[in-house]
Amino acid sequence: MTDSSALLTPLLAPQDQISAADHGINAEEWQRLTNRLGRVPNLVELGIYSVMWSEHCSYKSSRRHLSKFPTHNERVIQGPGENAGVIDIGDGQAAIFKMESHNHPSYIEPYQGAATGVGGILRDVFTMGARPIALVNALRFGSPDHPKTRSLVAGVVAGIGGYGNCVGVPTVAGETEFDEGYNGNILVNAMAVGLADQDKIFYARGATPGNPIFYVGSKTGRDGIHGATMASAEFSEGEEDNRPTVQVGDPFTEKLLIEACLELMATDAIQAIQDMGAAGLTSSSVEMADKGGIGIDMDLDKVPQREEGMSAYEIMLSESQERMLMVLKPGKVETAKAIFDKYDLDAEVIGMTTDTGHMVLRQLGEVVCDIPVAPLAEDAPNYDRPWLAPPARKPLDSSTPAREQDALKILLTLLSCPDMASKRWIWEQYDRHVMGDTLESSQSLGDAALVRVHGTSKALAISSDCTPRYVLADPYEGGKQAVAESYRNISAVGATPVAITDNLNFGNPENPATMGYIVKAIEGMAEACRVLDYPVVSGNVSLYNETDGQAIPPTPVVGGVGLLDDFRRATGLGQAQSGDTLILLGTTAGHLGASLFARHILGLSPKDMGPPPPIDLAREKEISDTVRSLVLNGLVHAVHDLSDGGLACAAAEMALTSDLGLDLGDQSLKNLFSEDQARFIVAANDDQLSRWPKGLSVEMIGTFGEPSGMLSVNGEVLPLEKLRKAHEDWMPNYMASVATE
């Protein structure tokens, strides 16, 4: 190979250390880079190193801890390391899924930030040969009274709906929370699920030397340059306008790209494929080269560009949307071009794979980059960050929890608070039934969404779960709980939980206190995954979620996927019938620590709310397995897991969704509002109960009455419609003033 140092000009000026720091590369990393390269990099090379070694791309603060996750069971086909995880759903079919964040872009420009988050996660799935069938979103916003919150909610929801609806993939599940801890840094986590035949799955690995590198999709522009670096740095209040430009999405182009890629995949023309997500052309080309152990030689003049005079630096770091990179098999270029021409998409050969192990880039006939590929991945920092164990909280003193409020008044307060109020205003803006296979949407009818596997009786159950206040109170138990609640939600509809994807959202890992939360949450999640046989097959880590040193609440979101062999045997929370008995499965110990009761009724600050409920994972599995068996054998009409707000709120949600009155008899406030885990409520009639297995430990809680009746407890009654109004009205009333602000 020609000595690249003689060809690469200009080199960085004497202030190269400052330039490296501006690119997020610290002194230790700079030394590692120059030692391995044997010289000072030029600006193009520095930009490439900066994004590949960024937290967002390299996971340099979390990689060693992520290895603690179990990643396989008998149904896992592909675990972490590819664009998305893959599980076996029988009959030669596979489900492919992943969750990723678009937090910082969504705070800067909420519509495009959220929209391109949806577009990016869709590409992760169809890159592997899957047709996307479902979208999920997990949203966290600041306090409702913060001046930015309304406009952020409006923009993010419009962006998700605008992109997902136009591209034609249903949004079937999600969660939305408000907390002042997200005032300066909202969270937008997007998940996509797709279906593929097991013998038609495509990977980023597998490229060999001597084959054409094929660019397809939209033209490259200057939007999103250094987006990966931005996602790896904390915010400062008021500096939004100085941050890199957020990408701009086009869902109609994405739809064309999906169809063109799937059509090309049917021709056996593709050797390897990678979407251009974070770090754009840089990450997609480097990852394919690294996984294949090969080199790449690209002519940047051949990259389709929508702006004039783009530099090599800009082309390589652009994060323009709706783009893919492929390595084609010999003789397949014309076949590929014909397909993409039909869909009116750009498609160009921009280079060749080589056996050099180097990334060589050319522009205007000059070599502008010549660096070994392996160090971009193998030498990426892998820090063992110092961490401090989070302090244990004192038990909550709940000896006088009522504060002279009766149970129904407390219930009204909780069901109308921002945490628990209906989010109908949000999910009605999403197309939940496009494609015709959405059987049940978790936003309205169940603990998990159900999406039919087209043309079969099978269905996938999908959910998104996390309780940040638990993780803040005890990250180990909170991490366990996030996985356990996902397991419960999938089981509640009758499906068998198979695997999870995750999105680990935390603050600055260079702060030992924050790093302690990261470590312990991962360890708690890993323990739950092991006991429940519910492995992690894909995911994303989003760190530096803080503004002016104020970190978000630790938020490790779990996206769960399960399998139901016959969707006709499923149930939900809205199918209770008049005369049914409401039954509690699981044990109530009266734990109010870190509960919504402690937050909204006792008015306690996070540090005074006590520890979260302990998680008995063996009990979680036992109870979930029991409920799943009852559902599949037709022995219950309705099921709901107990989580936020405890028994009272879960029972009220079942009554509201079934539109039936409900008498809960006499109950203590602890029984009603504690958030003990490993619990479900089910509705069943006498005939069903007579066929239940002997020996089940259950508690008869109440009886369902007439449609649109009364909710009663402890001798007090409340019209169901009054409860419904309180539950449904908060969100639309809150958002009604967004246009005037």
Side-chain angles (χ1 to χ4, degrees):
M1 167 170 284
T2 304
D3 179 10
S4 62
S5 63
L7 298 173
L8 296 165
T9 58
L11 298 183
L12 288 180
Q15 64 269 30
D16 50 29
Q17 292 280 9
I18 298 174
S19 297
D22 289 343
H23 283 74
I25 293 179
N26 63 31
E28 177 186 340
E29 293 165 358
W30 174 256
Q31 191 63 51
R32 180 193 302 229
L33 187 165
T34 53
N35 285 348
R36 184 63 181 257
L37 200 55
R39 58 178 172 81
V40 174
N42 68 17
L43 185 60
V44 176
E45 295 166 337
L46 178 61
I48 289 170
Y49 270 99
S50 74
V51 293
M52 293 308 299
W53 285 10
S54 69
E55 192 75 58
H56 191 77
C57 292
S58 73
Y59 296 163
K60 57 189 176 185
S61 296
S62 58
R63 206 156 73 241
R64 63 181 58 231
H65 298 289
L66 297 176
S67 64
K68 300 172 184 176
F69 283 138
T71 58
H72 289 89
N73 63 15
E74 62 181 9
R75 285 196 177 270
V76 173
I77 296 172
Q78 174 66 54
E82 273 288 342
N83 286 291
V86 186
I87 59 172
D88 179 358
I89 61 170
D91 305 310
Q93 296 176 301
I96 299 178
F97 58 98
K98 189 180 182 182
M99 179 179 282
E100 280 203 344
S101 61
H102 234 221
N103 302 336
H104 287 186
S106 298
Y107 185 76
I108 295 169
E109 211 301 299
Y111 184 94
Q112 290 297 345
T116 52
V118 173
I121 199 62
L122 285 171
R123 289 194 298 279
D124 278 333
V125 166
F126 75 75
T127 294
M128 299 192 70
R131 178 170 293 281
I133 63 164
L135 288 165
V136 177
N137 55 77
L139 311 177
R140 264 85 188 179
F141 297 103
S143 171
D145 58 12
H146 189 273
K148 292 183 179 179
T149 299
R150 281 187 183 86
S151 61
L152 288 170
V153 172
V156 165
V157 171
I160 292 170
Y163 204 102
N165 295 353
C166 291
V167 83
V169 179
T171 299
V172 300
E175 50 184 335
T176 303
E177 291 187 340
F178 296 85
D179 187 284
E180 64 180 1
Y182 304 104
N183 281 351
N185 197 127
I186 66 173
L187 301 184
V188 176
N189 295 170
M191 175 180 173
V193 183
L195 293 175
D197 291 335
Q198 291 182 24
D199 60 354
K200 294 185 176 115
I201 297 172
F202 291 80
Y203 299 95
R205 63 180 184 265
T208 58
N211 292 313
I213 300 171
F214 199 54
Y215 172 116
V216 302
S218 294
K219 289 180 169 62
T220 295
R222 291 189 170 97
D223 50 329
I225 292 174
H226 264 301
T229 306
M230 175 192 67
S232 306
E234 62 184 80
F235 280 172
S236 293
E237 188 67 31
E239 70 172 12
E240 292 92 334
D241 293 340
N242 296 325
R243 296 180 195 137
T245 305
V246 175
Q247 309 96 310
V248 177
D250 180 352
F252 300 105
T253 298
E254 181 100 340
K255 175 61 174 173
L256 295 174
L257 188 60
I258 292 172
E259 299 304 327
C261 285
L262 292 178
E263 185 171 332
L264 180 60
M265 287 168 171
T267 69
D268 193 34
I270 300 171
Q271 190 175 64
I273 182 169
Q274 181 79 33
D275 82 300
M276 292 192 219
L281 184 53
T282 291
S283 64
S284 56
S285 58
V286 168
E287 287 173 14
M288 282 199 298
D290 180 63
K291 290 175 181 177
I294 59 173
I296 47 178
D297 191 320
M298 296 192 295
D299 184 348
L300 300 187
D301 294 326
K302 295 182 179 178
V303 173
Q305 299 164 50
R306 68 167 182 260
E307 300 181 49
E308 294 184 0
M310 290 189 69
S311 67
Y313 181 95
E314 292 172 325
I315 293 170
M316 292 304 295
L317 271 60
S318 167
E319 293 185 8
S320 295
Q321 297 292 286
E322 292 86 43
R323 301 180 301 158
M324 310 285 283
L325 197 66
M326 308 173 180
V327 175
L328 297 180
K329 293 179 179 179
K332 297 295 185 179
V333 171
E334 293 308 314
T335 299
K337 273 185 170 290
I339 290 173
F340 284 92
D341 285 347
K342 181 174 71 172
Y343 288 95
D344 198 25
L345 294 169
D346 283 285
E348 297 291 341
V349 174
I350 64 170
M352 297 291 289
T353 57
T354 69
D355 60 4
T356 65
H358 274 235
M359 168 185 269
V360 178
L361 306 177
R362 307 171 194 275
Q363 189 176 42
L364 301 175
E366 298 289 334
V367 174
V368 294
C369 169
D370 188 342
I371 54 179
V373 170
L376 290 170
E378 296 171 9
D379 282 3
N382 185 358
Y383 291 125
D384 187 5
R385 301 276 193 198
W387 59 276
L388 298 174
R393 287 189 179 178
K394 295 180 180 178
L396 174 67
D397 180 6
S398 56
S399 57
T400 56
R403 294 285 173 89
E404 301 179 356
Q405 294 189 54
D406 62 43
L408 290 180
K409 184 181 293 185
I410 293 171
L411 180 60
L412 271 172
T413 298
L414 292 182
L415 282 184
S416 61
C417 75
D419 294 285
M420 291 210 68
S422 168
K423 304 306 186 298
R424 181 184 299 274
W425 182 92
I426 292 176
W427 53 256
E428 282 191 339
Q429 298 185 49
Y430 305 149
D431 190 333
R432 309 186 308 284
H433 297 284
V434 65
M435 301 182 78
D437 284 319
T438 304
L439 300 169
E440 191 167 272
S441 169
S442 70
Q443 297 108 328
S444 58
L445 293 175
D447 290 310
L450 279 174
V451 181
R452 179 176 50 193
V453 177
H454 192 74
T456 76
S457 62
K458 296 183 296 188
L460 298 180
I462 309 165
S463 72
S464 171
D465 298 286
C466 183
T467 309
R469 66 180 185 278
Y470 289 176
V471 188
L472 183 62
D474 184 330
Y476 184 77
E477 291 297 319
K480 288 164 58 179
Q481 189 273 342
V483 176
E485 185 174 357
S486 173
Y487 193 88
R488 289 199 304 270
N489 282 333
I490 298 293
S491 299
V493 297
T496 300
V498 176
I500 70 171
T501 183
D502 61 42
N503 207 137
L504 309 180
N505 307 273
F506 294 90
N508 187 340
E510 297 168 52
N511 181 333
T514 297
M515 194 66 209
Y517 279 93
I518 296 170
V519 171
K520 298 309 291 183
I522 288 174
E523 290 178 352
M525 294 173 69
E527 176 65 10
C529 290
R530 277 190 293 272
V531 174
L532 299 175
D533 190 25
Y534 200 30
V536 178
V537 297
S538 62
N540 173 246
V541 178
S542 176
L543 305 182
Y544 295 94
N545 288 290
E546 57 183 75
T547 299
D548 293 331
Q550 183 62 47
I552 61 162
T555 312
V557 178
V558 170
V561 175
L563 179 64
L564 185 62
D565 289 332
D566 186 349
F567 66 80
R568 292 163 293 193
R569 299 163 74 186
T571 190
L573 67 90
Q575 299 168 20
Q577 299 181 10
S578 182
D580 279 354
T581 300
L582 182 68
I583 302 158
L584 172 69
L585 285 85
T587 303
T588 300
H591 192 99
L592 290 168
S595 66
L596 290 184
F597 185 95
R599 179 176 180 177
H600 291 287
I601 306 304
L602 301 183
L604 300 176
S605 66
K607 65 182 179 62
D608 296 323
M609 284 172 56
I615 311 298
D616 183 337
L617 293 169
R619 185 64 171 153
E620 291 281 1
K621 190 173 191 313
E622 177 187 6
I623 292 290
S624 293
D625 290 350
T626 297
V627 167
R628 196 180 316 116
S629 175
L630 293 174
V631 171
L632 295 179
N633 285 291
L635 300 180
V636 293
H637 285 141
V639 179
H640 195 8
D641 89 305
L642 268 61
S643 53
D644 285 350
L647 169 64
C649 290
E653 288 172 335
M654 186 178 283
L656 287 171
T657 312
S658 301
D659 193 29
L660 294 174
L662 175 62
D663 184 353
L664 291 174
D666 293 327
Q667 302 285 344
S668 70
L669 292 181
K670 282 188 176 182
N671 279 354
L672 289 170
F673 300 107
S674 66
E675 296 182 8
D676 299 289
Q677 301 292 291
R679 297 188 300 162
F680 293 83
I681 51 172
V682 302
N685 61 25
D686 290 343
D687 177 64
Q688 289 170 321
L689 289 172
S690 70
R691 292 182 282 126
W692 276 30
K694 303 300 182 184
L696 283 185
S697 177
V698 301
E699 183 179 351
M700 307 300 180
I701 296 296
T703 305
F704 285 97
E706 297 303 313
S708 301
M710 298 284 185
L711 185 71
S712 62
V713 62
N714 297 340
E716 301 291 331
V717 296
L718 178 69
L720 209 60
E721 286 311 305
K722 182 175 180 179
L723 185 63
R724 188 186 310 280
K725 181 174 175 59
H727 184 53
E728 294 284 352
D729 283 1
W730 180 84
M731 190 84 195
N733 288 345
Y734 174 69
M735 295 305 298
S737 58
V738 68
T740 65
E741 293 194 352

